[in-house]
Amino acid sequence: MGSATLNLCVNALRPRYPPSPPIISHLSSTLATTTLFRSFLSTKRLSTMDGSKASPLKEMPLGIDATTEEEYASQSRLLQEFTAISSIDKAWIKSDTRNGSQAMFSFSQPNLLANKMRKFILSSHISKETSNSVNFQWSPFPVEMTGVSVIVPSPSGAKLLVVRNPENESPCQFEIWGPAQVEKEFHIPQSVHGSVYTDGWFQGISWNSDETLIAYVAEEPSPSKPTFTCQGIQERIRSEEISCLDGKLIVNFLMLYSGETQAVKGIEKRLSVGQVVWAPPVGESYQYLVFVGWSSDPRKLGIKYCYNRPCALYAVRAPLFESESDGPEIKDSSTEDFPVVNLTQSISSAYYPRFSPDGKLLLFVSARSSVDSGAHSATDSLHKIDWPVDGVPCSSAKVVDVIPVVMCGDDGCFPGLYCSNFLRNPWLSDGCTMIISSIWGSCVVILSVNVLSGEVLRISPTDSNFSWNVLSLDGDNIVAVSSSLVDVPHIKYGYLVDKESKSNAWNWLDVPSPTNECSKKVKSLLSSLQFNIMKIPVRDVSDCLTKGARKPFEATFLSSKTKRSDPFDPLLVILHGGPHSVYVSSFSKSLAFLSAIGFNLLLVNYRGSLGFGEEALQSLPGKVGSQDVKDVLVAIDHVIDLGLASPSKIAVLGGSHGGFLTTHLIGQAPEKFVAAVARNPVCNLALMVGTTDIPEWCYVEAYGSEGRNSYTEATSAEDLSLFHSKSPISHISKVKTPTLFLLGAQDLRVPISNGLQYARALKEKGVAVKVIVFPNDTHAIERPQSDFESFLNIGVWFKKYLC
């Protein structure tokens, strides 16, 4: 194959970005021809890295012919329609059995021009008209939450906390809203603390029971800047270790009436904390806070997407407060006689603390399988401890299993707990049943869990391949969102068919909502698609494999209901990262777009994916680059044998570990793939181990679980040799597949050097290569413009080589 120019491109959509890093050789935009940004960019000018004068954008991009320009324009128009679809994120409901319930729904929608996610709230009144019907009366328009970081209703629903995190040096803003107005507003300067943590992992914003105090987690204030004098630096700043656990975290509580903010004392500096909740009050005694603590010993490692970091539940006494005429007032913040208590010393992982309604039990999820094995994510377990009747926590509480780790579930039975989020209040009125969402094979389902008996029931429809997520509870009823690969998210309302009997049958009602709508074109395209979850038998089963590792894995096949042109539509093999992650059947705008422009998709959940039991998952560490590669090739052969794909029209796409598999596949099966796309791919473990924020991953995935014990910062020659042999770059001499690389320049997880090294090596041997670098993106490449440009270029790339 002839030589191709290695285009190291930056995103020309962001003229306000700082100059590109030195890795960028020149500027070239593949999006300058798209209709969405043509007017936006027409007045902008870009400078090249050699310092030459800026040239008008109309002279760019270089080397794009009229046909390619039209392809970009056509795909851009369609991708905009998919991108405009809103996502349903959260819901809060204030239940009232007499007058109906009041609900707030949080939605998000990409704002491409601003390059931000637009967040908005839509309110509704819920009324049960009959036993089998429900009516949602929606407000006429949503309200955009401009500048809002997070909103948290109080337990009664009478108050609403709105947090606005600071920009630059401005203070953090807290607003307490009542039904019609702002009742209180507090500005917390950065000398007290930095941003409040609002992500799904560290976030811990908790109202106490009488709604006078709020506990929350915030970033420790930055140290003062050094003062320079003629003698040099007058004041030195102690350098902090750089890691993905940015900054130190502190727990604070806010006095609603006075606005007084007090840091909770007694928490060791080695702990990074999150997920704080108030313990149940007991009489006039002190109140306690329960939180999750992650130790930084011996060093902090990247935590995002990584559940294998040891953590525990801790309890700390909140500072004493007394009621005054104008509200509570802090009297004493000493905790010297009441040290922080580790509540879960007997287990290596504990998070998502939730108290039972009667305050007698403390429930929590554990990722001990991840911690103990080193896998980034594995099968979860659910546990409980008895909360002391006097409200004073102790470290000797017995940890009791509610849902143990499932090693290998029977066919059609519960495969184990895989829980990525938890409701703030997951309880039904019986006080012992929790409602949670969990991965079950290639779907997300809703479960009811009796914490006394340990009984687990799947209550979302068992005959559905849709994915279901619980949003909120309306008394003993459930508000959920349901979607599939070919169905946009819809709100569902679930209720027990017969509460009086012992039947656990649930009925699910469709809830019409303004967000159900999408453009007529998108609706028509989605209606022409179908999907099927396939069981793929494992090939070459050996006796050394566990029972779970010998069971079939799954792949989802997304296709047109009718043949579009040729006997076979081109097939895109889509591979998830992790590797311990999963492609579920929920709606994905980007995948729906790729299918809509003429491709069939095969989403492979190779062994090692979540949702299939612990034995299957743990079969992968130590066998990366071999077992997972074989599973993907078996899945491809399976659909070919079924007559669903042509062996001459196959391409592959993956990110992170999916990119690892993508670049492995084009090396190990060079005749199989016509084109490939890799997003932030792991191409060389020997290079990655010294630069990533998760160096221990290289050891675990290469050696297996025993790699946890051999991990060292001083990598040996033997280690490097094994890492190289497990890496895609060891097969690069055989690669001839045209490959597009999409790389985030700020990626700490898989640093950009991994993809660049592999791309340059392909260019060196004359393989067609294109690299697009996103200067301000990290591992996920998820900024709205970056995500848009990524999938637009993916679509054009595959059209070029497959159609």
Side-chain angles (χ1 to χ4, degrees), residues 94 104 152-154 156-162 175-185 207 211:
K94 181 181 179 182
M104 293 193 308
V152 185
S154 64
S156 70
K159 299 175 183 178
L160 181 70
L161 170 68
V162 175
E175 301 164 7
I176 308 298
W177 286 75
Q181 61 188 12
V182 176
E183 296 181 349
K184 296 285 182 179
E185 182 173 358
W207 294 76
E211 302 182 0

Side-chain angles (χ1 to χ4, degrees), residues 647-694:
S648 64
K649 300 170 69 175
I650 300 174
V652 60
L653 161 65
S656 193
H657 189 83
F660 173 85
L661 290 177
T662 295
T663 46
H664 253 305
L665 286 161
I666 61 177
Q668 294 192 41
E671 306 295 335
K672 200 97 173 174
F673 303 97
V674 177
V677 177
R679 289 164 55 101
N680 285 328
V682 178
C683 300
N684 187 349
L685 290 170
L687 175 63
M688 177 179 169
V689 70
T691 55
T692 178
D693 66 338
I694 53 166

Side-chain angles (χ1 to χ4, degrees), residues 264-394:
V264 174
K265 298 180 180 180
I267 301 175
E268 297 180 54
K269 288 291 187 180
R270 68 178 182 86
L271 291 180
S272 293
V273 305
Q275 302 181 13
V276 60
V277 297
W278 287 92
V282 178
E284 298 298 323
S285 64
Y286 283 93
Q287 286 191 264
Y288 284 83
L289 297 169
V290 173
F291 63 90
V292 183
W294 291 265
S295 175
S296 61
D297 294 334
R299 58 161 284 196
K300 293 179 181 178
L301 295 169
I303 196 170
K304 193 171 185 181
Y305 313 121
C306 296
Y307 292 84
N308 57 350
R309 307 298 178 221
C311 57
L313 296 188
Y314 295 85
V316 63
R317 196 184 74 178
L320 176 65
F321 65 94
E322 292 183 4
S323 296
E324 301 291 337
S325 58
D326 59 346
E329 181 180 339
I330 296 174
K331 290 299 183 183
D332 175 24
S333 61
S334 173
T335 58
E336 295 179 0
D337 297 331
F338 300 90
V340 175
V341 177
N342 185 334
L343 302 171
T344 56
Q345 295 186 75
S346 62
I347 194 167
S348 58
S349 170
Y351 57 96
Y352 289 154
R354 297 292 185 271
F355 283 94
S356 60
D358 60 10
K360 294 181 179 180
L361 297 175
L362 174 59
L363 280 293
F364 63 90
V365 176
S366 176
R368 59 180 178 179
S369 293
S370 298
V371 174
D372 297 346
S373 68
H376 279 174
S377 186
T379 311
D380 296 324
S381 50
L382 183 68
H383 308 269
K384 63 184 177 183
I385 60 177
D386 291 326
W387 192 251
V389 293
D390 60 0
V392 179
C394 64

